[in-house]
Structure formats: C-alpha cells, structure tokens
Amino acid sequence: MSFLLRLTSPLRGRKVGTDRFGNVYYEGRTNQPIYDRPRRWAVYADGGREPTVVPPEWHAWLHHTVPAPLPETKRYFWQQEHRPNLTGTPHAYRPAGHDYVGGTRRVTGGDYEAWTPGS
C-alpha cells in the first residue's frame, strides 16, 4: 500500500470504520459519474496489498451488497473466525501425496498405464 494512499484517504473520503484486524474503511465524498454511488476502499493495517484480510462483514459493504457495514459482534457457534488466504505459507492446505507432506499417495487400481511419447 502506498504512503500516498494512506495520506490522501482521509482527505478524499470519510472514514466509515475499522475492523477487528485494524483495517480502515473509507467511502468517497462524491458519487462516481458512471455508477452514481460513492467509491469504497480499504487501507490495510499491515500496509500490504492482500485483499483476503478483509472479513466478510466488510467485504459485503465494500462491494455495495449492503448499504451499511454488518455488525462484527454477532457470532454464531457454527461460524469460524475469518482467516486470510494461506497459499504460499507453511499453513497452506496440502493434500495427501504432496511433496511437502511426504510425497506418497495411495496406490491406484493398476489399470492405469502412463503415456510415453512415440508409443
């Protein structure tokens, strides 16, 4: 995230709120000419450009699905805590047979013959 965006966001838009991860959300002061609605954006707490750190409550507001941000306090027992995309990290999902998990996969039925060029 550029320093310039952090600096100009309070000037170009009004602060709507902050989520539990520290991301700050803004809404433009004027409507966009094509969509006739204000622009909405987030300034991420860690300074990165990873949009998966936005929780679902704020994601709905950013994409104009709901007119106001959804409350973050109402949690049901079956709801899990939001996690950002873990691809490329040690916590990423790796199925059985992946090289990082051991590289062994279950035995196939034996009816498969690999294709080789020229055969």
Side-chain angles (χ1 to χ4, degrees), residues 8-59:
T8 60
S9 287
L11 301 173
R12 294 185 337 188
R14 66 177 182 85
K15 181 180 174 181
V16 176
T18 306
D19 65 9
R20 62 187 176 273
F21 300 113
N23 303 323
V24 182
Y25 298 92
Y26 291 94
E27 186 170 49
R29 298 184 191 275
T30 60
N31 288 350
Q32 294 176 333
I34 296 174
Y35 301 110
D36 196 33
R37 61 185 184 192
R39 179 177 174 248
R40 295 174 176 172
W41 68 94
V43 176
Y44 305 121
D46 63 355
R49 295 182 181 163
E50 182 58 47
T52 63
V53 298
V54 174
E57 299 87 5
W58 283 96
H59 183 272

Side-chain angles (χ1 to χ4, degrees), residues 70-83:
L70 299 173
E72 294 186 64
T73 57
K74 187 176 181 182
R75 307 291 294 175
Y76 296 102
F77 69 93
W78 46 264
Q79 288 179 307
Q80 294 182 355
E81 182 62 32
H82 172 72
R83 293 187 313 176

Side-chain angles (χ1 to χ4, degrees), residues 1 18 32 36 42 46 66 80 82 85 87 96 101-102 104 112 114:
M1 178 121 344
T18 306
Q32 294 176 333
D36 196 33
D46 63 355
V66 294
Q80 294 182 355
H82 172 72
N85 187 358
T87 303
V101 180
T104 58
Y112 174 77

